[in-house]
Amino acid sequence: MEQSKNFGFGEDEVMLRDTARKLFADNCSADKIHGQLAQNYDPHREIECLWDKDLWKQIGELGWTAVCVPESAGGLGMPLVAAAALVEEAGKAAFPSPLVSTFNASFVLQACGSDAANKQLEKIAGGQASTLAITNQKGSWESSDTDVTVDDGTLNGTAWFVQDAKKAETLVVAAKGEKGLGLYCIAADDANVLIQADGIIDLTRDQAHIEFKGAKAIEVAAPGDGKVALDKAMPAILSIVSADMVGTSEWLLQTTVEYANTRVQFDRQLGFFQAVKHPLVNVMLDLDRAKSLTYHAACTFDEEPDGAELAARMAKSAASDVAAFSASRAIQFHGGIGFTWECYVHIFFKRNMHNHILYGDGNYQRMKLADILIGQAA
Amino acid sequence: MSEAGKTDSPEQAEFRAHCRDWLSKNHPGTPPVSLPQSALALTDDDALVWLQKWQKSAYDAGLIGCDYSKDCGGQGLTNCQAIANEEMTRAKTPFLPNIIGLGMGAPTVYFHAQDEVKQKLLPRLLSGEDIWCQGFSEPGAGSDLANQQTFAEKKGDSWVINGHKVWTSLAHYASWMIMLCRTSKEDKYNGLSYFVVPIKSALGKGVTVRPLIKLTGETGFNEVIFEDLVVEDKYRLDEVGAGWAVAMTTLAHERGAGKLVTPASGGLASAEDKSSSIGSANALIRLAKASSRNGKTAADDPVLRDQLMQLMIRQEGFRHNRRRIGVPELNDHPMRLPLQFKLVSSELGQDISHMAYKIQGAASSLYVNDPNAPAGGQWPMAYMSSFGITIAAGANEVQRNILGERVLNMAKSK
């Protein structure tokens, strides 16, 4: 029961994180992101997938997608905290990319442990964008729920709420067969896969529902083994999404503090007023809790797998709550300007509001935690 | 849960082995009298004597004050106190009675007193033979600490002190007090000087200690009246007028953000001690399973379950904030986490003990004098006591100003 005191965050992880900081500082200013994503403000605009493909290619060349892929599958085999640190920086930049989705797909493939899954992991290590198609139309986060069926490796039905679907080259699909849930890989541009983009609030990603019309897929976990793999990977997924919110929330906090230090009303900087100062300190307190829990969750996933679900759900609960809290305070304390499209804050607000629901919000995580820590209610 | 050992230096590893070995043979066992929830509430002489004996034995074994230099009663080690603390927590040893001396007096004296004074006072402070108290708060200087009115006037080679300190924990047992005084009325901050003054040996000779009664009905803290107390100049710390800067050393250590780690023991007397279960979110879960609400087990109530989990998450988050402080690469600002400790832990403790009210329902009305009170009435006692911590050492409203101003660089609210 003894974990690394430093969460496993050593020299290599620091170097990787610092590379990410520099890359985002050079290529991903809030100004640039806003210019790239927020040209069309019309709520009824055509659904578009906007992102910088060249930057993604560069990231693939830097080996970021290989960070948590085992060395045996051509990856770097680094601890999950390394990916968490990368994603935290991506969250700070509101970076539009399939980085989180690809990481998440790689965790599920690793949990499958099959040769077919390892082949897919090799592609991810080489920079291939991937995503999970595991959610049903009702938006259930339970790993056994899917509207897709499989028969002899052929997929039928629709997967919903698929993240970064238009950016991904490969889909990892959960499908129900006669013997239970299995997992399948299929190319996103397969002729029998119909990707229908959702109109979503978050400008920094795309989402879709995907119809499979008799699509022939590669089995990576046999029917009956899929749920085990998804459950094993879920703590890593929750940790990574938490890290994204920790990063975005830090940007929201720092940007709002900066505004509170600049904006003058009643002859005083806004930050002078405790009605502004104290809630921003509360955001910081909640954020630091979420950050520590996120790094703990990532470390637990690697070093103490039996405690991984508990640690990850705690992290996701804390991160989801501070994501919503930091977002709301950022808009509120930016006042009139914060309510406008031209103020960059809405980009980060929307990313957090999307993430805080993904794979279950704070209440959902606490419901799961109570089942673990108290036991199921009678 | 222990995360000990993974990154110990050879010196630390050897020291840890020594601590573990000594504690396995020298745990003081079950206290002969019931202990209060913290050293700050000590009022029973027998309890004090027993705890002092424990502190002295741990000091003699090198577990207390080990990072202090040898001439001041320490062991001259580096970064070993944290290890002794981990091992004492692991061994569930009782709390240390000289909590103010260890946490605030010792580092302040160590960094600011003359060598002669340090060498005279620190060994008996670290061993717990001398209990120390802190004279900062006054009737007119609570959150506005610099508004000190107790006056020290230079007469010849000595100082004559007159004034009134209040909310002074442990003064009734204290031999010495660390104290902030006004030495000039010209300047609010630069008119302050810092002293260590005798209490026990000066009772009736310029010092009067009167007990104050807390809202719980307990005694344990006091007001201290100074009437022409004469103090030698050597007991002044640092320069005349530098009192505010010296006080910052005290406060940094009080908030867990100082250079030296405060010696701290588990606080759990023994597994049998009922009060040991009070104050943690885990204990609330046990309480919820044993309590009923609307004819059902309280632990099945979905709202209570959510609230219990919120507390568990805050408790776990606090633990890992402490862990993250040791990883500079995961801290963008060095004071950001240390300055949160008092604020976060005191509010968590308060909310945990308040939660016990909701779980216990009608039975939460029963106090320590009722034989039917769950857990001996310790939960409502803990809730009432918790306000001492959210108010003391700079009310949490002041802590939020400090965090907003020093860490987030927002404009000063004064």
Side-chain angles (χ1 to χ4, degrees), chain A residues 27-45:
Chain A
N27 296 287
C28 249
S29 65
D31 183 56
K32 193 171 166 190
I33 295 283
H34 198 267
Q36 189 186 336
L37 306 181
Q39 290 300 318
N40 190 348
Y41 52 80
D42 182 358
H44 301 288
R45 63 189 172 269

Side-chain angles (χ1 to χ4, degrees), chain A residues 2-5 14 17 250 257 261 272 274 277-278 282 288 292 296 317 366 371 374-375 377-378, chain B residues 2 4 7 289 300 305-306 313 320-321 323-324 329 336 340 400-401 405 408-413:
Chain A
E2 294 190 357
Q3 293 191 1
S4 305
K5 280 189 178 176
V14 173
R17 195 259 321 263
E250 186 70 45
V257 163
N261 287 340
F272 164 87
Q274 290 164 343
K277 180 183 285 171
H278 288 190
N282 289 341
D288 278 319
S292 295
H296 171 60
S317 169
R366 293 192 292 276
D371 288 347
I374 305 177
Chain B
S2 168
T7 56
K289 286 182 173 174
D300 287 351
R305 286 165 76 86
D306 188 89
I313 291 164
H320 293 292
N321 273 350
R323 177 179 173 196
R324 181 154 65 88
E329 296 80 9
R336 179 162 157 173
Q340 295 177 17
R400 283 188 165 79
N401 281 350
E405 290 159 19
L408 297 177
N409 289 318
M410 286 188 277
K412 287 197 178 226
S413 295

Side-chain angles (χ1 to χ4, degrees), chain A residues 43-208:
Chain A
H44 301 288
R45 63 189 172 269
E46 289 274 320
I47 300 167
E48 286 180 289
C49 175
L50 300 167
W51 63 308
D52 185 344
K53 253 188 189 166
D54 291 337
L55 191 56
W56 173 251
K57 211 174 150 223
Q58 205 180 320
I59 278 169
E61 285 158 8
L62 284 169
W64 288 10
T65 55
V67 161
C68 286
V69 173
E71 286 171 283
S72 59
L76 299 172
M78 291 178 81
L80 186 57
V81 286
L86 278 182
V87 170
E88 187 186 337
E89 296 306 317
K92 264 181 213 164
F95 178 47
S97 84
L99 183 65
V100 168
S101 298
T102 303
F103 275 137
N104 290 346
S106 78
F107 304 138
V108 170
L109 289 168
Q110 271 187 69
C112 292
S114 61
D115 289 345
N118 282 339
K119 278 201 183 122
Q120 295 298 323
L121 277 171
E122 281 171 22
K123 291 183 191 165
I124 286 180
Q128 189 185 77
S130 305
T131 192
L132 297 172
I134 59 172
T135 310
N136 68 9
Q137 188 170 11
K138 288 181 177 163
S140 164
W141 307 120
E142 301 299 321
S143 54
S144 49
D145 290 343
T146 171
D147 295 339
V148 180
T149 58
V150 62
D151 185 24
D152 196 22
T154 301
L155 304 176
N156 277 293
T158 304
W160 295 79
F161 308 104
V162 179
Q163 304 303 303
D164 301 304
K166 287 277 191 185
K167 304 184 189 97
E169 295 165 71
T170 301
L171 311 170
V172 179
V173 188
K176 252 180 207 153
E178 267 183 24
K179 289 182 182 162
L181 198 78
L183 292 165
Y184 300 85
C185 280
I186 188 164
D189 60 2
D190 187 286
N192 296 313
V193 171
L194 179 61
I195 300 180
Q196 292 169 283
D198 299 340
I200 62 169
I201 298 160
D202 182 5
L203 300 169
T204 69
R205 82 184 81 207
D206 73 280
Q207 182 181 286

Side-chain angles (χ1 to χ4, degrees), chain B residues 139-187:
Chain B
S143 291
D144 184 7
L145 181 60
N147 191 35
Q148 299 279 315
Q149 300 302 320
T150 295
F151 203 81
E153 190 184 2
K154 189 83 187 279
K155 284 198 176 163
D157 283 342
S158 296
W159 295 86
V160 177
I161 297 177
N162 280 284
H164 186 176
K165 296 289 177 182
V166 75
W167 306 306
T168 319
S169 295
L170 292 175
H172 53 299
Y173 287 133
S175 299
W176 292 91
M177 171 189 273
I178 45 171
M179 180 181 202
L180 204 49
C181 288
R182 182 153 299 288
T183 44
S184 161
K185 290 176 182 169
E186 302 296 311
D187 188 302

Side-chain angles (χ1 to χ4, degrees), chain B residues 34-114:
Chain B
S34 82
L35 298 178
Q37 290 172 354
S38 113
L40 296 178
L42 272 170
T43 52
D44 181 321
D45 295 355
D46 294 337
L48 176 71
V49 168
W50 187 80
L51 287 166
Q52 278 181 300
K53 195 176 152 215
W54 145 242
Q55 182 171 335
K56 176 79 164 55
S57 70
Y59 170 76
D60 288 340
L63 274 62
I64 314 278
C66 45
D67 290 344
Y68 284 80
S69 62
K70 285 188 176 170
D71 62 330
C72 293
Q75 305 282 316
L77 301 178
T78 306
N79 297 330
C80 281
Q81 188 61 58
I83 295 191
N85 293 355
E86 283 174 11
E87 293 304 318
M88 287 191 279
T89 303
R90 190 173 171 274
K92 292 188 163 49
T93 51
F95 57 72
L96 301 167
N98 199 17
I99 181 172
I100 300 206
L102 292 170
M104 290 169 267
T108 310
V109 168
Y110 192 64
F111 290 118
H112 297 283
Q114 300 175 14

